[in-house]
Amino acid sequence: MISTLLDTPQAAATALEGCAVVDMEFMYRPRPLEPPRRALFDSTLHLRLAEVARQERAGVCFLCADETAAASLEPLLKAFASLRRVYVVVNPPVMFGRDALADRQTPVQAGWEDPEGWTQYAVSDRWARIRFALETASVLAGSGYVVLPAHDAVWGSGLLGDLTSFSKLRGAGGLPAAVSPYSPWHHSAIPGARLPQWGIDAINAAFGRDLWLRWRLACGAHQGFWGKTGLIPFQMSAEILRRVDFRVWEDDLEIDRAIHEAGFASCALWIDDPLLYRQSLPIYNQEDLRQVIDRTIHYSLNIPASPPGATSLILRELALPLRVRRRLDRRYAAALALVERTAEACVSAARSRIARCGMSWIDWGAYRYIVRVGDPFVQVWFHNERV
């Protein structure tokens, strides 16, 4: 078992003192047990840690749901015995006070089973860990970076060096920029993980619809900080914490907004080379795909539109070159058809819930997230029987 679990950002910062790069790995649950999913999890984490270990002064902080999640990582970390690492347990706080009382009837209004068994939380589990990471970074001295990756981020050798160099070139407000890599490889194969090709094709088709995105990223006309991987200078962290609203569900978009509001810069570096950076999601069946698409659609449900959800990227009309590709490329056409069927089912269910009770929701991890049309803030709920 883990010998030491730290419990404050100050303690984590003390343990990581002297590091110029701190990788913050969010561990929502123990390592997967199913062999293909474990192989995927282990491979992506191993590649990220290998890149961290290549840096001169670097460490990793595991922000875990519990001690079991932390202990499950130990066999994988034997290959990185010299890499400085820290373990902490971080979870979202329960909602208290007037807002919690006002929302108490939500499970009843939504028609959930056992409405008395639900507990509302103040923020998402991801936001709770982001806040801890930024608080830790704000204590660390020097000109280093805190790194916030998703589990599906696949790093290659040299990625962090490229990103930090790019950060220094694109700085503003007296600090280097917050940077993220952006890959057109939204989903890709991992040796040994046995990911189905139909899932890889579907995700790439779903999220590859914006043909102008590379140009907008290059000229700073689009979101620059992304949740798949983001580097934030230590010295920027405290200002971000002062400005973000933790009730906003899309944390990367909210962080990006706060960075620019503070007078700093964020920018994304487009990376074509899949050996340098790509993504690889745990999509093994239709339900895995549905959850990814459903979550993406729910991100836009709060935006007033007719009908609800119409602004989602996944529902956007295909550009002419992609319509041509659809006619000529059978595999691409099949992937798009699967995405569209799945999206239509998700949208139909969401709109039905909105018509019935004024809200929709999605289960993601251990939590249920509620979205209302026109309300920029998400509600986070938890039920013990779902864990």
Side-chain angles (χ1 to χ4, degrees):
M1 298 294 285
I2 301 298
S3 58
T4 303
L5 282 168
L6 304 180
D7 57 1
T8 67
Q10 291 74 21
T14 298
L16 294 163
E17 185 177 358
C19 288
V21 174
V22 176
D23 176 26
M24 295 286 183
E25 294 285 345
F26 298 176
M27 296 298 148
Y28 304 95
R29 60 186 67 84
R31 289 167 66 210
L33 295 176
E34 186 180 341
R37 293 180 187 268
R38 171 164 283 199
L40 176 61
F41 176 91
D42 288 0
S43 294
T44 56
L45 179 58
H46 186 279
L47 289 168
R48 292 195 301 275
L49 295 182
E51 175 63 358
V52 174
R54 292 185 190 100
Q55 313 308 305
E56 286 188 11
R57 295 180 294 123
V60 58
C61 180
F62 293 102
L63 290 79
C64 305
D66 52 36
E67 186 174 357
T68 302
S72 73
L73 301 169
E74 282 295 275
L76 180 61
L77 296 174
K78 290 179 180 178
F80 301 99
S82 62
L83 180 61
R84 197 187 318 189
R85 56 184 183 263
V86 172
Y87 300 90
V88 296
V89 171
V90 183
N91 289 296
V94 172
M95 175 81 85
F96 289 107
R98 184 179 303 174
D99 290 339
L101 291 174
D103 294 336
R104 189 59 260 168
Q105 291 303 306
T106 295
V108 176
Q109 295 166 359
W112 297 344
E113 293 184 7
D114 186 25
E116 294 301 317
W118 291 86
T119 301
Q120 187 178 4
Y121 282 74
V123 298
S124 69
D125 53 347
R126 179 170 167 82
W127 259 130
R129 295 182 177 101
I130 290 173
R131 178 160 55 190
F132 191 102
L134 292 177
E135 287 173 347
T136 301
S138 68
V139 178
L140 289 166
S143 56
Y145 293 85
V146 61
V147 191
L148 307 177
H151 284 182
D152 53 283
V154 182
W155 297 354
S157 176
L159 175 69
L160 294 180
D162 288 354
L163 291 175
T164 53
S165 296
F166 188 59
S167 166
K168 293 168 185 175
L169 289 173
R170 300 291 291 272
L175 291 179
V179 299
S180 291
Y182 190 93
S183 173
W185 301 86
H186 300 282
H187 194 8
S188 61
I190 289 285
R194 303 204 304 270
L195 288 161
Q197 187 63 49
W198 63 260
I200 293 173
D201 292 344
I203 290 296
N204 285 322
F207 293 97
R209 302 168 78 98
D210 188 346
L211 298 182
W212 292 99
L213 182 57
R214 183 173 190 166
W215 176 83
R216 290 203 302 276
L217 290 175
C219 65
H222 201 273
Q223 175 182 343
F225 183 86
W226 295 80
K228 294 299 183 180
T229 293
L231 278 70
I232 297 176
F234 292 159
Q235 298 150 305
M236 195 184 289
S237 302
E239 277 297 324
I240 293 173
L241 281 170
R242 277 193 282 269
R243 296 170 186 274
V244 292
D245 194 318
F246 296 104
R247 297 171 294 177
V248 175
W249 192 9
E250 274 195 276
D251 44 75
D252 56 345
L253 186 61
E254 175 64 3
I255 290 171
D256 190 76
R257 182 201 62 77
I259 288 169
H260 290 275
E261 183 183 274
F264 303 130
S266 71
C267 52
L269 178 62
W270 186 284
I271 297 178
D272 284 309
D273 183 1
L275 296 180
L276 185 60
Y277 177 70
R278 66 188 195 277
Q279 292 150 219
S280 191
L281 288 75
I283 294 177
Y284 285 93
N285 52 49
Q286 296 282 347
E287 177 59 18
D288 293 336
L289 176 66
R290 185 202 64 79
Q291 285 197 344
V292 171
I293 290 176
D294 204 13
R295 181 181 63 163
T296 303
I297 288 170
H298 275 73
Y299 277 154
S300 66
L301 282 183
N302 66 298
I303 302 171
S306 183
T311 61
S312 176
L313 167 67
I314 289 181
L315 302 177
R316 184 177 301 172
E317 183 179 358
L318 284 178
L320 177 60
L322 296 180
R323 295 201 299 272
V324 172
R325 181 183 176 188
R326 183 176 200 162
R327 289 198 296 269
L328 300 177
D329 185 339
R330 290 185 179 181
R331 185 166 134 183
Y332 180 67
L336 278 176
L338 174 58
V339 169
E340 289 169 357
R341 288 195 305 271
T342 306
E344 287 169 6
C346 293
V347 169
S348 177
R351 290 172 183 168
S352 177
R353 287 191 289 264
I354 290 169
R356 177 174 61 82
C357 59
M359 67 189 91
S360 187
W361 55 85
I362 182 174
D363 295 334
W364 192 260
Y367 299 87
R368 177 166 290 179
Y369 297 86
I370 289 182
V371 180
R372 289 182 171 87
V373 176
D375 185 349
F377 305 133
V378 71
Q379 287 185 15
V380 183
W381 293 81
F382 176 86
H383 195 290
N384 286 326
E385 296 300 321
R386 291 188 56 249
V387 177

